[in-house]
Amino acid sequence: MKKSIIKSTGMFVPHNVITNHDLEKMIDTSDEWIKQRTGIEQRHWIDGATGASDLGFEASKIALENAGWTAKDLDFIIFATLSPDIMFPGSGCLLQAKLGLDSTPALDIRQQCTGFLYGLATADAYIKSGLASKILLVGGEVHSSGLDKTTRGRDITVIFGDGAAALCIEGVETNKDAGVLSSALHADGNLASALMTELPASRLPCRFPADIPHDDPRYFPVMDGPAIFKKAVRLLPKVIKESLEKAQIGLDEIDLIIPHQANMRINQALGQFLKLDDHKIFHNIQKYGNTTAASIPIALHEAMEQGRIGKSGDVVLFTGLGAGLTWGSIIYKFL
């Protein structure tokens, strides 16, 4: 059976940096308040008409070049996002066209903060089943154009950033213990309202009712922060344990944990619960904020560039929880 091997990564964030001090001029908040509650110091926001597939395209070009591939080598494209360029068709198809392709299958995954986890598990399944050999997995988000940049929406606005990252994943015949060692994915739709954007909504008689003003708060993300925090610190250790048991390895065999970059406090609490030294958990939320489906692959790209992970035999654990609610954990071993 072929193993799903990460051949390369690439990332791209807009050049427009928004610091906490910049937000102080826009809404009633403070640098101290944001850092204390989230760990975020800055984030990148688009400047002009830019979609998730545009950011994904830039990241994909880097990943393809690093892999020594051309777009025509791809068998499949998976695009994870909660902020598609348009309502439909999906950003995966838009990216496919930007890459100069006209028949390569493309799939969008709408699993929000766990989009990368679901995407990597899907890519692994396609490779192991023989349906694909070379896959481009992209996580891309443009949050800034959908945020309530008033004091009413400050708790959400300060958190999110724009960005994208891409992985080239190849099916490789090898007897070595490598690739995706295990995956554990879960969802609980009963908690959908804890983190959601309600409008536009197909469940309404009209998605854009004439009597709903476009500054209606239902057009913007809402979050029950305390509820999400409690779920994350309870469910993430459980799903990590599940993935370790599936892979039949111990936590001490993990070289680096790369969690979804949602909140520094959540990731620090996770480390404390697992009794890990801080250097075993990768953090970069301070630079980018929460980039949702892009956060784990952006962190992976940076961790590999810094030499924290990526050598043959290195084992990395990805984990995250987000809207849906969805949560999961994947263990990967470098070939």
Side-chain angles (χ1 to χ4, degrees):
M1 183 181 294
K2 288 185 176 180
K3 307 293 180 66
S4 301
I5 302 301
I6 297 173
K7 301 292 290 186
S8 67
T9 62
M11 66 165 283
F12 181 82
V13 292
H15 301 299
N16 186 30
V17 176
I18 304 295
T19 67
N20 293 345
H21 296 295
D22 292 327
L23 292 179
E24 288 176 339
K25 302 170 186 176
M26 300 167 51
I27 55 181
D28 183 12
T29 191
S30 70
D31 174 61
E32 180 182 4
W33 187 91
I34 297 170
K35 287 193 293 190
Q36 181 181 15
R37 286 164 176 76
T38 69
I40 300 168
E41 300 173 11
Q42 64 176 45
R43 71 287 295 145
H44 293 248
W45 284 358
I46 62 166
D47 185 11
T50 303
S53 71
D54 295 312
L55 301 184
F57 176 57
E58 297 299 329
S60 297
K61 287 192 296 183
I62 296 169
L64 287 167
E65 181 178 356
N66 289 341
W69 295 359
T70 69
K72 294 184 183 299
D73 293 323
L74 298 173
D75 300 312
F76 198 46
I77 296 170
I78 301 174
F79 199 113
T81 187
L82 69 70
S83 53
D85 302 58
I86 53 180
M87 183 170 287
F88 68 85
S91 294
C93 288
L94 303 184
L95 172 63
Q96 185 242 44
K98 289 180 171 71
L99 289 170
L101 304 172
D102 58 14
S103 65
T104 307
L107 169 70
D108 271 34
I109 290 186
R110 296 291 304 277
Q111 296 307 107
Q112 295 68 246
C113 301
T114 59
F116 172 79
L117 300 175
Y118 274 74
L120 182 55
T122 301
D124 184 50
Y126 264 77
I127 286 172
K128 287 178 177 175
S129 68
L131 291 174
S133 181
K134 292 184 177 181
I135 296 177
L136 179 67
L137 171 60
V138 181
E141 303 288 3
V142 173
H143 290 300
S144 58
S145 58
L147 299 173
D148 182 358
K149 299 185 182 75
T150 69
T151 297
R152 177 185 65 183
R154 63 182 174 180
D155 291 352
I156 299 291
T157 296
V158 302
I159 295 173
F160 290 101
D162 304 336
L167 274 64
C168 289
I169 304 170
E170 184 174 11
V172 176
E173 293 279 3
T174 178
N175 293 324
K176 290 185 177 181
D177 185 24
V180 175
L181 302 186
S182 70
S183 62
L185 304 174
H186 297 278
D188 183 358
N190 294 296
L191 298 169
S193 62
L195 180 53
M196 65 179 290
T197 299
E198 186 175 356
L199 296 180
S202 62
R203 65 187 179 187
L204 297 179
C206 177
R207 290 180 183 177
F208 299 99
D211 59 342
I212 295 181
H214 280 256
D215 64 349
D216 187 300
R218 287 177 291 174
Y219 281 102
F220 302 106
V222 295
M223 178 172 64
D224 184 342
I228 297 296
F229 185 92
K230 291 176 183 177
K231 283 291 182 180
V233 297
R234 184 173 68 86
L235 294 176
L236 291 180
K238 288 184 177 181
V239 78
I240 287 173
K241 180 181 179 183
E242 181 184 354
S243 64
L244 289 169
E245 290 175 348
K246 285 185 174 182
Q248 297 183 341
I249 62 175
L251 184 59
D252 60 332
E253 297 178 70
I254 302 296
D255 294 295
L256 188 67
I257 293 178
I258 300 181
H260 166 51
Q261 304 293 306
N263 187 301
M264 182 73 83
R265 291 167 60 201
I266 291 176
N267 294 346
Q268 289 172 338
L270 176 63
Q272 292 169 4
F273 186 93
L274 297 174
K275 299 179 180 179
L276 292 174
D277 292 335
D278 190 57
H279 75 277
K280 291 291 289 285
I281 300 182
F282 191 84
H283 307 285
N284 66 356
I285 191 173
Q286 63 274 16
K287 296 191 294 182
Y288 304 113
N290 182 345
T291 54
T292 310
S295 81
I296 295 178
I298 284 177
L300 173 62
H301 177 84
E302 288 205 325
M304 291 176 65
E305 284 203 327
Q306 295 171 18
R308 300 275 299 275
I309 201 78
K311 300 184 298 297
S312 177
D314 283 352
V315 181
V316 60
L317 186 149
F318 306 112
T319 192
L321 176 144
L325 291 180
T326 60
W327 64 98
S329 177
I330 291 180
I331 298 174
Y332 176 86
K333 188 173 184 177
F334 286 86
L335 179 63

Short mmCIF file of all heavy atoms in Angstrom, two decimals, residues 174-237:
data_model
loop_
_atom_site.label_atom_id
_atom_site.label_comp_id
_atom_site.label_asym_id
_atom_site.label_seq_id
_atom_site.Cartn_x
_atom_site.Cartn_y
_atom_site.Cartn_z
N THR A 174 6.68 2.32 -0.12
CA THR A 174 7.80 2.17 0.79
C THR A 174 7.43 1.20 1.90
O THR A 174 6.27 1.12 2.31
CB THR A 174 8.21 3.53 1.41
OG1 THR A 174 9.28 3.32 2.34
CG2 THR A 174 7.04 4.19 2.11
N ASN A 175 8.42 0.48 2.37
CA ASN A 175 8.22 -0.42 3.50
C ASN A 175 8.46 0.28 4.82
O ASN A 175 8.23 -0.30 5.89
CB ASN A 175 9.17 -1.63 3.39
CG ASN A 175 8.83 -2.53 2.21
OD1 ASN A 175 7.65 -2.70 1.89
ND2 ASN A 175 9.85 -3.08 1.57
N LYS A 176 8.93 1.52 4.75
CA LYS A 176 9.21 2.27 5.97
C LYS A 176 7.91 2.68 6.66
O LYS A 176 6.87 2.89 6.02
CB LYS A 176 10.04 3.51 5.65
CG LYS A 176 11.47 3.21 5.23
CD LYS A 176 12.26 4.50 5.06
CE LYS A 176 13.71 4.22 4.70
NZ LYS A 176 14.50 5.47 4.55
N ASP A 177 7.99 2.82 7.96
CA ASP A 177 6.86 3.32 8.76
C ASP A 177 6.83 4.83 8.61
O ASP A 177 7.56 5.55 9.29
CB ASP A 177 7.06 2.91 10.22
CG ASP A 177 5.86 3.29 11.09
OD1 ASP A 177 4.76 3.43 10.53
OD2 ASP A 177 6.05 3.44 12.30
N ALA A 178 6.02 5.32 7.67
CA ALA A 178 6.02 6.74 7.36
C ALA A 178 4.65 7.16 6.84
O ALA A 178 3.78 6.33 6.60
CB ALA A 178 7.10 7.06 6.33
N GLY A 179 4.48 8.47 6.69
CA GLY A 179 3.22 9.01 6.21
C GLY A 179 2.22 9.21 7.32
O GLY A 179 2.59 9.39 8.49
N VAL A 180 0.94 9.18 6.98
CA VAL A 180 -0.12 9.34 7.97
C VAL A 180 -0.23 8.05 8.77
O VAL A 180 -0.64 7.01 8.25
CB VAL A 180 -1.47 9.68 7.30
CG1 VAL A 180 -2.59 9.73 8.33
CG2 VAL A 180 -1.37 11.02 6.57
N LEU A 181 0.13 8.13 10.05
CA LEU A 181 0.10 6.93 10.90
C LEU A 181 -1.29 6.68 11.47
O LEU A 181 -1.67 5.53 11.70
CB LEU A 181 1.10 7.08 12.05
CG LEU A 181 2.56 7.30 11.68
CD1 LEU A 181 3.43 7.29 12.93
CD2 LEU A 181 3.05 6.26 10.68
N SER A 182 -2.03 7.76 11.72
CA SER A 182 -3.40 7.60 12.24
C SER A 182 -4.15 8.91 12.10
O SER A 182 -3.54 9.99 12.02
CB SER A 182 -3.39 7.17 13.71
OG SER A 182 -2.94 8.23 14.54
N SER A 183 -5.46 8.80 12.08
CA SER A 183 -6.32 9.99 12.10
C SER A 183 -7.55 9.70 12.94
O SER A 183 -8.07 8.58 12.92
CB SER A 183 -6.73 10.42 10.69
OG SER A 183 -7.50 9.40 10.06
N ALA A 184 -7.97 10.71 13.69
CA ALA A 184 -9.18 10.60 14.51
C ALA A 184 -9.97 11.88 14.31
O ALA A 184 -9.50 12.97 14.65
CB ALA A 184 -8.81 10.41 15.98
N LEU A 185 -11.15 11.77 13.73
CA LEU A 185 -11.99 12.92 13.41
C LEU A 185 -13.36 12.78 14.06
O LEU A 185 -13.91 11.68 14.11
CB LEU A 185 -12.15 13.06 11.89
CG LEU A 185 -10.88 13.16 11.06
CD1 LEU A 185 -11.22 13.14 9.58
CD2 LEU A 185 -10.08 14.40 11.42
N HIS A 186 -13.90 13.93 14.52
CA HIS A 186 -15.20 13.91 15.17
C HIS A 186 -15.98 15.18 14.84
O HIS A 186 -15.42 16.18 14.39
CB HIS A 186 -15.04 13.80 16.70
CG HIS A 186 -14.38 12.55 17.15
ND1 HIS A 186 -15.06 11.36 17.29
CD2 HIS A 186 -13.09 12.28 17.47
CE1 HIS A 186 -14.22 10.42 17.70
NE2 HIS A 186 -13.02 10.95 17.81
N ALA A 187 -17.28 15.13 15.10
CA ALA A 187 -18.15 16.30 14.92
C ALA A 187 -19.34 16.20 15.85
O ALA A 187 -19.76 15.09 16.23
CB ALA A 187 -18.63 16.38 13.47
N ASP A 188 -19.85 17.35 16.25
CA ASP A 188 -21.07 17.42 17.06
C ASP A 188 -21.86 18.63 16.61
O ASP A 188 -21.64 19.76 17.06
CB ASP A 188 -20.72 17.53 18.55
CG ASP A 188 -21.98 17.52 19.44
OD1 ASP A 188 -23.10 17.46 18.88
OD2 ASP A 188 -21.84 17.57 20.67
N GLY A 189 -22.82 18.38 15.69
CA GLY A 189 -23.63 19.47 15.15
C GLY A 189 -24.58 20.09 16.14
O GLY A 189 -25.16 21.15 15.87
N ASN A 190 -24.76 19.46 17.31
CA ASN A 190 -25.62 20.05 18.33
C ASN A 190 -25.05 21.35 18.87
O ASN A 190 -25.77 22.13 19.50
CB ASN A 190 -25.81 19.06 19.48
CG ASN A 190 -26.57 17.82 19.07
OD1 ASN A 190 -27.73 17.88 18.69
ND2 ASN A 190 -25.89 16.67 19.10
N LEU A 191 -23.76 21.58 18.65
CA LEU A 191 -23.10 22.78 19.14
C LEU A 191 -22.80 23.76 18.02
O LEU A 191 -21.94 24.63 18.16
CB LEU A 191 -21.82 22.40 19.88
CG LEU A 191 -22.01 21.52 21.10
CD1 LEU A 191 -20.69 20.97 21.61
CD2 LEU A 191 -22.72 22.29 22.21
N ALA A 192 -23.51 23.65 16.91
CA ALA A 192 -23.25 24.50 15.76
C ALA A 192 -23.38 25.99 16.08
O ALA A 192 -22.62 26.82 15.58
CB ALA A 192 -24.20 24.14 14.61
N SER A 193 -24.33 26.34 16.93
CA SER A 193 -24.58 27.76 17.20
C SER A 193 -23.51 28.39 18.09
O SER A 193 -23.49 29.62 18.25
CB SER A 193 -25.95 27.93 17.87
OG SER A 193 -26.00 27.24 19.11
N ALA A 194 -22.60 27.59 18.63
CA ALA A 194 -21.55 28.14 19.49
C ALA A 194 -20.51 28.93 18.70
O ALA A 194 -19.81 29.77 19.26
CB ALA A 194 -20.86 27.03 20.29
N LEU A 195 -20.41 28.64 17.40
CA LEU A 195 -19.47 29.35 16.53
C LEU A 195 -20.01 29.27 15.12
O LEU A 195 -19.96 28.22 14.48
CB LEU A 195 -18.07 28.72 16.63
CG LEU A 195 -16.95 29.34 15.79
CD1 LEU A 195 -16.85 30.84 16.01
CD2 LEU A 195 -15.63 28.67 16.11
N MET A 196 -20.55 30.38 14.63
CA MET A 196 -21.25 30.33 13.35
C MET A 196 -21.39 31.71 12.73
O MET A 196 -21.25 32.74 13.39
CB MET A 196 -22.66 29.74 13.55
CG MET A 196 -23.58 30.62 14.41
SD MET A 196 -25.26 29.97 14.63
CE MET A 196 -25.93 30.18 12.99
N THR A 197 -21.67 31.71 11.42
CA THR A 197 -22.17 32.89 10.71
C THR A 197 -23.50 32.47 10.10
O THR A 197 -23.55 31.51 9.32
CB THR A 197 -21.20 33.35 9.62
OG1 THR A 197 -19.95 33.69 10.21
CG2 THR A 197 -21.76 34.56 8.88
N GLU A 198 -24.58 33.17 10.44
CA GLU A 198 -25.92 32.72 10.09
C GLU A 198 -26.36 33.11 8.68
O GLU A 198 -27.07 32.34 8.01
CB GLU A 198 -26.92 33.25 11.10
CG GLU A 198 -28.32 32.71 10.90
CD GLU A 198 -29.29 33.14 11.98
OE1 GLU A 198 -28.85 33.82 12.94
OE2 GLU A 198 -30.49 32.82 11.87
N LEU A 199 -26.01 34.29 8.22
CA LEU A 199 -26.50 34.77 6.93
C LEU A 199 -25.36 34.92 5.93
O LEU A 199 -24.24 35.24 6.32
CB LEU A 199 -27.20 36.13 7.11
CG LEU A 199 -28.47 36.14 7.96
CD1 LEU A 199 -29.04 37.55 8.05
CD2 LEU A 199 -29.52 35.18 7.42
N PRO A 200 -25.65 34.70 4.63
CA PRO A 200 -26.93 34.30 4.05
C PRO A 200 -27.26 32.85 4.40
O PRO A 200 -26.37 32.06 4.69
CB PRO A 200 -26.72 34.47 2.56
CG PRO A 200 -25.26 34.28 2.38
CD PRO A 200 -24.60 34.86 3.59
N ALA A 201 -28.55 32.52 4.37
CA ALA A 201 -28.99 31.20 4.82
C ALA A 201 -30.01 30.62 3.85
O ALA A 201 -31.05 31.22 3.60
CB ALA A 201 -29.60 31.30 6.21
N SER A 202 -29.74 29.43 3.34
CA SER A 202 -30.67 28.78 2.42
C SER A 202 -31.93 28.31 3.13
O SER A 202 -32.94 28.02 2.49
CB SER A 202 -29.98 27.59 1.74
OG SER A 202 -29.60 26.62 2.69
N ARG A 203 -31.88 28.22 4.48
CA ARG A 203 -33.05 27.77 5.22
C ARG A 203 -34.13 28.84 5.32
O ARG A 203 -35.24 28.56 5.76
CB ARG A 203 -32.65 27.29 6.61
CG ARG A 203 -32.09 28.38 7.52
CD ARG A 203 -31.56 27.77 8.80
NE ARG A 203 -30.98 28.76 9.71
CZ ARG A 203 -30.34 28.45 10.83
NH1 ARG A 203 -30.19 27.18 11.17
NH2 ARG A 203 -29.84 29.39 11.60
N LEU A 204 -33.81 30.08 4.92
CA LEU A 204 -34.82 31.14 4.89
C LEU A 204 -35.57 31.09 3.57
O LEU A 204 -35.05 30.61 2.56
CB LEU A 204 -34.15 32.51 5.05
CG LEU A 204 -33.42 32.77 6.37
CD1 LEU A 204 -32.80 34.17 6.35
CD2 LEU A 204 -34.37 32.64 7.55
N PRO A 205 -36.82 31.60 3.55
CA PRO A 205 -37.57 31.64 2.28
C PRO A 205 -36.80 32.36 1.18
O PRO A 205 -36.92 32.04 0.01
CB PRO A 205 -38.86 32.37 2.66
CG PRO A 205 -39.01 32.12 4.12
CD PRO A 205 -37.62 32.09 4.67
N CYS A 206 -36.02 33.37 1.60
CA CYS A 206 -35.14 34.08 0.68
C CYS A 206 -33.81 34.30 1.41
O CYS A 206 -33.80 34.74 2.56
CB CYS A 206 -35.74 35.42 0.25
SG CYS A 206 -34.67 36.39 -0.82
N ARG A 207 -32.71 33.97 0.77
CA ARG A 207 -31.42 34.09 1.45
C ARG A 207 -31.11 35.53 1.84
O ARG A 207 -30.40 35.78 2.80
CB ARG A 207 -30.30 33.56 0.54
CG ARG A 207 -30.35 32.06 0.37
CD ARG A 207 -29.24 31.58 -0.53
NE ARG A 207 -29.34 30.13 -0.74
CZ ARG A 207 -28.54 29.44 -1.52
NH1 ARG A 207 -27.59 30.04 -2.20
NH2 ARG A 207 -28.70 28.13 -1.64
N PHE A 208 -31.62 36.48 1.08
CA PHE A 208 -31.39 37.90 1.36
C PHE A 208 -32.73 38.61 1.48
O PHE A 208 -33.12 39.36 0.59
CB PHE A 208 -30.56 38.53 0.25
CG PHE A 208 -29.21 37.90 0.08
CD1 PHE A 208 -29.01 36.96 -0.92
CD2 PHE A 208 -28.15 38.24 0.90
CE1 PHE A 208 -27.77 36.37 -1.09
CE2 PHE A 208 -26.91 37.65 0.73
CZ PHE A 208 -26.71 36.71 -0.26
N PRO A 209 -33.47 38.38 2.57
CA PRO A 209 -34.77 39.04 2.72
C PRO A 209 -34.64 40.55 2.65
O PRO A 209 -33.68 41.14 3.19
CB PRO A 209 -35.22 38.59 4.13
CG PRO A 209 -34.46 37.33 4.38
CD PRO A 209 -33.14 37.52 3.71
N ALA A 210 -35.59 41.17 1.98
CA ALA A 210 -35.52 42.61 1.76
C ALA A 210 -35.56 43.40 3.07
O ALA A 210 -35.06 44.52 3.14
CB ALA A 210 -36.67 43.05 0.85
N ASP A 211 -36.16 42.81 4.11
CA ASP A 211 -36.30 43.57 5.36
C ASP A 211 -35.11 43.37 6.30
O ASP A 211 -35.12 43.87 7.42
CB ASP A 211 -37.59 43.16 6.07
CG ASP A 211 -37.64 41.67 6.41
OD1 ASP A 211 -36.87 40.92 5.82
OD2 ASP A 211 -38.45 41.29 7.26
N ILE A 212 -34.07 42.66 5.86
CA ILE A 212 -32.89 42.47 6.71
C ILE A 212 -31.78 43.41 6.23
O ILE A 212 -31.30 43.28 5.11
CB ILE A 212 -32.38 41.01 6.66
CG1 ILE A 212 -33.43 40.08 7.26
CG2 ILE A 212 -31.06 40.87 7.41
CD1 ILE A 212 -33.01 38.63 7.28
N PRO A 213 -31.38 44.36 7.06
CA PRO A 213 -30.29 45.27 6.66
C PRO A 213 -28.98 44.52 6.60
O PRO A 213 -28.77 43.54 7.33
CB PRO A 213 -30.29 46.32 7.77
CG PRO A 213 -30.87 45.62 8.96
CD PRO A 213 -31.89 44.67 8.41
N HIS A 214 -28.08 44.98 5.75
CA HIS A 214 -26.81 44.26 5.58
C HIS A 214 -25.83 44.50 6.72
O HIS A 214 -24.74 43.90 6.72
CB HIS A 214 -26.18 44.61 4.23
CG HIS A 214 -26.80 43.86 3.09
ND1 HIS A 214 -26.19 42.80 2.47
CD2 HIS A 214 -28.01 43.99 2.50
CE1 HIS A 214 -26.98 42.32 1.52
NE2 HIS A 214 -28.09 43.03 1.52
N ASP A 215 -26.20 45.34 7.67
CA ASP A 215 -25.37 45.43 8.88
C ASP A 215 -25.97 44.61 10.02
O ASP A 215 -25.55 44.71 11.17
CB ASP A 215 -25.17 46.89 9.31
CG ASP A 215 -26.49 47.56 9.74
OD1 ASP A 215 -27.56 46.97 9.50
OD2 ASP A 215 -26.42 48.66 10.30
N ASP A 216 -26.95 43.77 9.67
CA ASP A 216 -27.53 42.85 10.64
C ASP A 216 -26.41 41.97 11.20
O ASP A 216 -25.60 41.41 10.45
CB ASP A 216 -28.58 41.98 9.95
CG ASP A 216 -29.36 41.10 10.92
OD1 ASP A 216 -28.72 40.28 11.60
OD2 ASP A 216 -30.60 41.22 10.97
N PRO A 217 -26.31 41.82 12.53
CA PRO A 217 -25.20 41.04 13.11
C PRO A 217 -25.16 39.59 12.66
O PRO A 217 -24.14 38.93 12.80
CB PRO A 217 -25.44 41.15 14.62
CG PRO A 217 -26.87 41.56 14.78
CD PRO A 217 -27.17 42.40 13.58
N ARG A 218 -26.27 39.08 12.09
CA ARG A 218 -26.28 37.69 11.65
C ARG A 218 -25.40 37.46 10.41
O ARG A 218 -25.13 36.33 10.04
CB ARG A 218 -27.71 37.23 11.37
CG ARG A 218 -28.53 37.02 12.65
CD ARG A 218 -29.95 36.63 12.34
NE ARG A 218 -30.69 37.74 11.75
CZ ARG A 218 -31.93 37.64 11.27
NH1 ARG A 218 -32.56 36.47 11.32
NH2 ARG A 218 -32.53 38.69 10.76
N TYR A 219 -24.97 38.56 9.76
CA TYR A 219 -24.04 38.43 8.64
C TYR A 219 -22.60 38.24 9.10
O TYR A 219 -21.72 37.97 8.29
CB TYR A 219 -24.10 39.68 7.75
CG TYR A 219 -25.28 39.70 6.81
CD1 TYR A 219 -26.40 40.48 7.10
CD2 TYR A 219 -25.28 38.95 5.65
CE1 TYR A 219 -27.49 40.51 6.25
CE2 TYR A 219 -26.37 38.98 4.79
CZ TYR A 219 -27.47 39.76 5.09
OH TYR A 219 -28.54 39.78 4.24
N PHE A 220 -22.36 38.39 10.39
CA PHE A 220 -21.00 38.35 10.91
C PHE A 220 -20.83 37.15 11.85
O PHE A 220 -21.79 36.66 12.43
CB PHE A 220 -20.68 39.64 11.66
CG PHE A 220 -20.82 40.88 10.81
CD1 PHE A 220 -21.90 41.74 10.99
CD2 PHE A 220 -19.89 41.17 9.82
CE1 PHE A 220 -22.04 42.87 10.21
CE2 PHE A 220 -20.03 42.29 9.03
CZ PHE A 220 -21.10 43.15 9.22
N PRO A 221 -19.59 36.68 12.01
CA PRO A 221 -19.36 35.53 12.90
C PRO A 221 -19.72 35.85 14.35
O PRO A 221 -19.50 36.96 14.83
CB PRO A 221 -17.85 35.28 12.77
CG PRO A 221 -17.43 35.98 11.53
CD PRO A 221 -18.35 37.14 11.37
N VAL A 222 -20.26 34.87 15.03
CA VAL A 222 -20.51 34.97 16.47
C VAL A 222 -19.88 33.76 17.13
O VAL A 222 -19.76 32.69 16.53
CB VAL A 222 -22.03 35.03 16.80
CG1 VAL A 222 -22.65 36.30 16.25
CG2 VAL A 222 -22.75 33.80 16.25
N MET A 223 -19.46 33.93 18.37
CA MET A 223 -18.80 32.84 19.07
C MET A 223 -19.08 32.89 20.55
O MET A 223 -19.02 33.97 21.16
CB MET A 223 -17.28 32.89 18.84
CG MET A 223 -16.51 31.80 19.58
SD MET A 223 -14.76 31.72 19.13
CE MET A 223 -14.18 33.33 19.70
N ASP A 224 -19.40 31.75 21.10
CA ASP A 224 -19.50 31.59 22.55
C ASP A 224 -18.11 31.18 23.03
O ASP A 224 -17.80 29.99 23.14
CB ASP A 224 -20.55 30.52 22.90
CG ASP A 224 -20.77 30.37 24.40
OD1 ASP A 224 -19.91 30.83 25.17
OD2 ASP A 224 -21.78 29.77 24.79
N GLY A 225 -17.27 32.17 23.27
CA GLY A 225 -15.87 31.93 23.60
C GLY A 225 -15.65 30.99 24.76
O GLY A 225 -14.88 30.01 24.63
N PRO A 226 -16.29 31.22 25.91
CA PRO A 226 -16.08 30.31 27.05
C PRO A 226 -16.47 28.87 26.73
O PRO A 226 -15.78 27.93 27.15
CB PRO A 226 -16.98 30.90 28.13
CG PRO A 226 -17.06 32.36 27.79
CD PRO A 226 -17.07 32.40 26.29
N ALA A 227 -17.56 28.68 25.99
CA ALA A 227 -18.00 27.31 25.65
C ALA A 227 -16.98 26.63 24.75
O ALA A 227 -16.66 25.44 24.93
CB ALA A 227 -19.36 27.35 24.98
N ILE A 228 -16.46 27.37 23.75
CA ILE A 228 -15.46 26.80 22.85
C ILE A 228 -14.19 26.46 23.61
O ILE A 228 -13.58 25.39 23.39
CB ILE A 228 -15.15 27.78 21.69
CG1 ILE A 228 -16.40 28.02 20.83
CG2 ILE A 228 -14.00 27.26 20.84
CD1 ILE A 228 -16.91 26.78 20.12
N PHE A 229 -13.77 27.34 24.49
CA PHE A 229 -12.56 27.10 25.28
C PHE A 229 -12.71 25.81 26.11
O PHE A 229 -11.81 24.95 26.11
CB PHE A 229 -12.29 28.29 26.20
CG PHE A 229 -11.00 28.19 26.97
CD1 PHE A 229 -9.83 28.73 26.47
CD2 PHE A 229 -10.94 27.53 28.19
CE1 PHE A 229 -8.64 28.64 27.17
CE2 PHE A 229 -9.77 27.43 28.91
CZ PHE A 229 -8.61 27.98 28.39
N LYS A 230 -13.83 25.67 26.80
CA LYS A 230 -14.06 24.50 27.65
C LYS A 230 -14.08 23.22 26.82
O LYS A 230 -13.52 22.19 27.24
CB LYS A 230 -15.37 24.66 28.43
CG LYS A 230 -15.32 25.75 29.50
CD LYS A 230 -16.68 25.91 30.16
CE LYS A 230 -16.65 27.04 31.18
NZ LYS A 230 -17.99 27.27 31.79
N LYS A 231 -14.73 23.26 25.66
CA LYS A 231 -14.77 22.08 24.80
C LYS A 231 -13.38 21.72 24.30
O LYS A 231 -13.01 20.55 24.25
CB LYS A 231 -15.72 22.32 23.61
CG LYS A 231 -17.19 22.22 23.96
CD LYS A 231 -17.58 20.78 24.30
CE LYS A 231 -19.05 20.65 24.60
NZ LYS A 231 -19.42 19.25 24.94
N ALA A 232 -12.60 22.74 23.92
CA ALA A 232 -11.27 22.49 23.37
C ALA A 232 -10.36 21.83 24.39
O ALA A 232 -9.70 20.82 24.09
CB ALA A 232 -10.65 23.80 22.86
N VAL A 233 -10.32 22.37 25.61
CA VAL A 233 -9.40 21.83 26.61
C VAL A 233 -9.86 20.45 27.11
O VAL A 233 -9.05 19.70 27.66
CB VAL A 233 -9.22 22.80 27.80
CG1 VAL A 233 -8.61 24.10 27.32
CG2 VAL A 233 -10.55 23.07 28.49
N ARG A 234 -11.14 20.11 26.89
CA ARG A 234 -11.63 18.79 27.28
C ARG A 234 -11.49 17.77 26.16
O ARG A 234 -11.09 16.63 26.38
CB ARG A 234 -13.10 18.87 27.72
CG ARG A 234 -13.64 17.55 28.25
CD ARG A 234 -15.03 17.71 28.82
NE ARG A 234 -16.03 18.00 27.82
CZ ARG A 234 -16.66 17.06 27.10
NH1 ARG A 234 -16.37 15.78 27.27
NH2 ARG A 234 -17.58 17.40 26.22
N LEU A 235 -11.81 18.17 24.92
CA LEU A 235 -11.86 17.22 23.81
C LEU A 235 -10.52 16.99 23.14
O LEU A 235 -10.25 15.89 22.65
CB LEU A 235 -12.89 17.69 22.78
CG LEU A 235 -14.35 17.69 23.24
CD1 LEU A 235 -15.25 18.27 22.15
CD2 LEU A 235 -14.80 16.28 23.60
N LEU A 236 -9.66 18.00 23.07
CA LEU A 236 -8.39 17.83 22.38
C LEU A 236 -7.50 16.78 23.03
O LEU A 236 -6.92 15.93 22.33
CB LEU A 236 -7.66 19.18 22.25
CG LEU A 236 -8.31 20.17 21.29
CD1 LEU A 236 -7.52 21.47 21.24
CD2 LEU A 236 -8.45 19.59 19.88
N PRO A 237 -7.34 16.77 24.36
CA PRO A 237 -6.53 15.69 24.96
C PRO A 237 -7.10 14.31 24.65
O PRO A 237 -6.34 13.35 24.44
CB PRO A 237 -6.58 16.00 26.46
CG PRO A 237 -6.82 17.46 26.54
CD PRO A 237 -7.73 17.76 25.39
#
